[in-house]
């Protein structure tokens, strides 16, 4: 029997980094997915190993379950029904298991994802042999939340075959989880994100789990009912970066300049609140769509300025900002910054010709542009078939 799960990536419309320090953020799911399938071998397969296949990278990792038992003896006897954090001792044992796999030097950043996998798998299924296959439409380490989508899809697939969750396996095609199940998936995914990010806010895993457009502050989410169609151009600068290092950099700056940074975080909080009010304001309100879009553009520019204050912009991001500004379009980085992706609001009345021109100019700089549906469904599951 096989289960397949998909979890979306996300864009952050306002509030990245500041959300780690308690400010409000606004984010939406993006229609690009990470897929995880899980299969347990039958006795006739005679397979006693745990396998992780990363299809896009053409990599396969494999551990004899006895080796996992030896490294993590604390698992197996009592599987954890509630999400728990990885202790320093378990992290060391997991690091040894990952090191044995000799991840190619050029892909060493995958070690964090593989560690999160070993933690989530061992907590939920102990020493059971299995094959887990992962593939993703999301660029890794680009600010679109690939780490969270990976942790959400993994947690959901593992829980789908656990005693903690009971799902109707006769459903055809993709189907959603119940509220209680989503909460459990989200909490386990957050534990995985902690291994990859160090100090995540929980925003990314929450958007990937629940989908939609959400407002998020200190672990609490509010689903937003959008009264306008939001069209965003996503530009990937293709400059690689690592969320853990960028989040740590902002924290260090906060320690050096606590008063100034607290004002920056407060300003971001106000921007996110105003942005969510605009998104939700009824269409019949005094503000026309154009006026709403102009306000949003201004808020995005202000948020970008504050992200520069936090030290997370990058020359490549500034090039995207300058290029889109030539067409009077507002942009901001999305995710951790330092490279990665930039969002540009595409107003409703903007002509297709202008959009094509901006995309052509951005792509001539070596960047990659995409437009994807935003605010769609969160994590979904599919049994048996190959949807
Ligand atoms: N499909 C995947 N397979 C394995 N690891 C993954 C996958 N997606 C994400 N990861 C892990 O997450 C890391 C990227 O996370 P991060 O730096 O937070 O960037 P982002 O979440 O914006 O893509 C990767 O280096 C890897 O460790
Ligand atoms: C910078 C931050 O706000 C978002 C990071 O997103 P991403 O990993 O770059 O996709 C960190 C967080 O909220 O945990
Ligand atoms: Mg991430």
């Amino acid at each position: 029997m096989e289960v397949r799960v998909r979890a979306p990536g996300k864009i952050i419309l306002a509030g990245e980094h500041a959300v780690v320090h308690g400010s409000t953020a606004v984010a939406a799911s993006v229609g690009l997915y990470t897929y995880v399938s899980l299969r347990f071998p039958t006795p006739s397969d005679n397979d006693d190993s745990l396998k992780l296949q990363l299809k896009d990278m053409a990599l396969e990792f494999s551990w004899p379950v006895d080796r996992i038992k030896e490294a993590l003896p604390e698992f197996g006897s009592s599987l954890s029904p509630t999400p728990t954090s990885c202790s320093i001792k378990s992290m060391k044992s997991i690091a040894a298991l990952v090191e044995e796999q000799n991840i190619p030097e050029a892909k060493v950043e995958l070690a964090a994802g593989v560690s999160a996998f070993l933690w989530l798998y061992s907590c939920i299924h102990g020493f059971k042999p299995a094959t887990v296959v992962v593939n993703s439409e999301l660029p890794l380490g680009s600010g679109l939340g690939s780490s969270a989508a990976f942790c959400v899809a993994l947690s959901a697939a593992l829980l789908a075959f656990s005693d903690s969750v009971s799902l109707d396996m006769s459903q055809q095609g993709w189907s959603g989880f119940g509220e209680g199940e989503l909460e459990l998936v989200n909490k386990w995914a957050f534990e995985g994100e902690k291994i990859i990010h160090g100090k995540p806010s929980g925003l990314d895993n929450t958007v990937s789990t629940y989908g939609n457009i959400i407002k998020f502050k200190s672990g609490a989410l509010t689903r937003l009912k959008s009264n306008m169609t939001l069209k965003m151009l996503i530009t990937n600068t293709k400059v690689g970066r690592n969320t853990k290092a960028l989040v740590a950099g902002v924290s260090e700056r906060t320690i050096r300049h606590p008063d100034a940074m607290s004002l920056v975080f407060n300003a971001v909080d106000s921007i996110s609140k105003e942005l969510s009010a605009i998104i939700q304001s009824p269409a019949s309100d005094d503000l026309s769509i154009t006026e709403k879009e102009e306000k949003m553009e201004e808020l995005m520019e202000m948020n970008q300025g504050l992200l520069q204050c936090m030290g997370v912009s990058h020359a490549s991001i500034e090039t995207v900002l300058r290029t889109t500004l030539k067409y009077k379009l507002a942009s901001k980085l999305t995710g951790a910054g330092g490279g990665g992706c930039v969002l540009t609001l595409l107003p409703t009345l903007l002509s297709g010709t202008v959009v094509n021109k901006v995309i052509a100019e951005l792509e001539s700089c070596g960047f990659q542009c995409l437009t994807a549906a935003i605010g769609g469904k969160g994590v979904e599951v599919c049994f048996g078939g190959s949807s």
Side-chain angles (χ1 to χ4, degrees), residues 5 11 27 67 89 135 192 303 328 354:
V5 162
I11 51 171
R67 174 68 191 103
K89 183 168 163 274
N135 66 292
N303 194 171
K328 297 195 171 55
V354 176

Side-chain angles (χ1 to χ4, degrees), residues 83 138 199 206 236 240 293-294 296 338:
L138 290 159
K199 196 189 166 199
T206 302
N236 189 353
E293 286 169 348
E294 281 169 3
M296 282 188 70

Side-chain angles (χ1 to χ4, degrees), residues 237-239 313-322 338-340 342 367:
T237 62
K238 296 202 263 181
V239 173
S313 195
H314 184 268
S316 60
I317 296 174
E318 304 294 325
T319 304
V320 176
L321 302 180
R322 268 198 317 277
V342 179
F367 304 139

Side-chain angles (χ1 to χ4, degrees), residues 134-158:
V134 183
N135 66 292
S136 185
E137 294 159 358
L138 290 159
L140 268 57
S142 301
L144 297 183
S146 77
S147 60
F150 174 68
C151 292
V152 170
L154 205 51
S155 303
L158 299 175

